[in-house]
């Protein structure tokens, strides 16, 4: 049990584990940290990796978009009935993920061209700053998920 967080992630006496909204929020936060964290230390190498490997073909773009799409779907389906402010934010974020990733899945070639063009225009310092802000958001998101969604 983490004393810093409100809630227990370990099974209780009835064998219950984390609830699904909490697990979806944790997965989303970790996904952001893994995807955006390298921009802090290696912005140029990470941008070229995304440009040359990830956004190279339509199948890769669809596979990349499928992960946050399903996380967004789980967030929308599980947090819409909860009655707190974080649940509202989770539902709104889930809807945004569904919309953005749905566009990536439907028209991957156009979106990959747009993303690679934008990455070429951004400087290393801007990429590094976006990485720092993304990781800070993800850590705050994970903390808020533990505070508001842990039962």
């Amino acid at each position: 049990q983490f004393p810093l967080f409100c809630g227990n992630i370990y099974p209780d006496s009835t064998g219950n584990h984390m609830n699904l909204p909490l697990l979806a929020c944790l997965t989303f936060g970790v996904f952001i940290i893994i995807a955006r964290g390298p921009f802090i230390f290696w912005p140029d190498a990470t941008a070229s990796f995304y440009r040359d490997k990830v956004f190279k073909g339509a199948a890769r773009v669809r596979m990349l978009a499928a992960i946050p799409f399903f996380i967004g779907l789980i967030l929308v389906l599980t947090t819409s009935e909860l009655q707190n402010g974080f649940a509202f934010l989770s539902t709104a974020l889930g809807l945004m993920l569904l919309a953005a990733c749905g566009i990536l899945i439907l028209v991957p070639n156009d979106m990959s061209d747009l993303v690679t063009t934008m990455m070429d225009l951004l400087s290393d310092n801007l990429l590094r700053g976006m990485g720092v802000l993304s990781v800070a958001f993800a850590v705050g998101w994970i903390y808020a998920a533990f505070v508001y969604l842990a039962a």
Side-chain angles (χ1 to χ4, degrees):
Q1 176 168 321
F2 299 108
L4 185 62
F5 301 117
C6 298
N8 186 0
I9 64 168
Y10 299 109
D12 59 11
S13 60
T14 61
N16 293 329
H17 293 276
M18 284 190 279
N19 54 19
L20 192 57
L22 177 61
L23 189 60
C25 288
L26 291 176
T27 305
F28 179 66
V30 170
F31 182 75
I32 290 175
I33 291 170
I34 290 171
R36 297 295 181 182
F39 279 109
I40 298 171
F41 303 105
W42 310 284
D44 190 39
T46 306
S48 65
F49 170 77
Y50 276 107
R51 185 176 38 254
D52 298 336
K53 303 284 185 209
V54 176
F55 290 106
K56 198 64 171 172
R60 291 180 183 178
V61 173
R62 284 187 177 121
M63 286 189 316
L64 175 75
I67 297 168
F69 182 84
F70 286 117
I71 293 171
L73 185 64
I74 291 170
L75 284 175
V76 168
L77 293 177
T78 59
T79 59
S80 58
E81 73 270 358
L82 297 176
Q83 298 296 320
N84 60 31
F86 185 74
F88 174 75
L89 288 176
S90 298
T91 304
L93 180 75
L95 289 172
M96 287 190 293
L97 281 171
L98 285 174
C101 295
I103 292 171
L104 274 173
I105 290 170
L106 292 175
V107 284
N109 292 328
D110 295 336
M111 288 294 112
S112 65
D113 291 343
L114 177 68
V115 169
T116 55
T117 303
M118 286 176 42
M119 279 190 182
D120 290 338
L121 296 175
L122 299 176
S123 68
D124 284 353
N125 289 334
L126 190 58
L127 288 172
R128 187 174 283 124
M130 288 171 44
V132 168
L133 290 175
S134 298
V135 169
F137 169 78
V139 169
W141 185 263
I142 291 171
Y143 180 77
F146 270 112
V147 169
Y148 292 107
L149 297 178

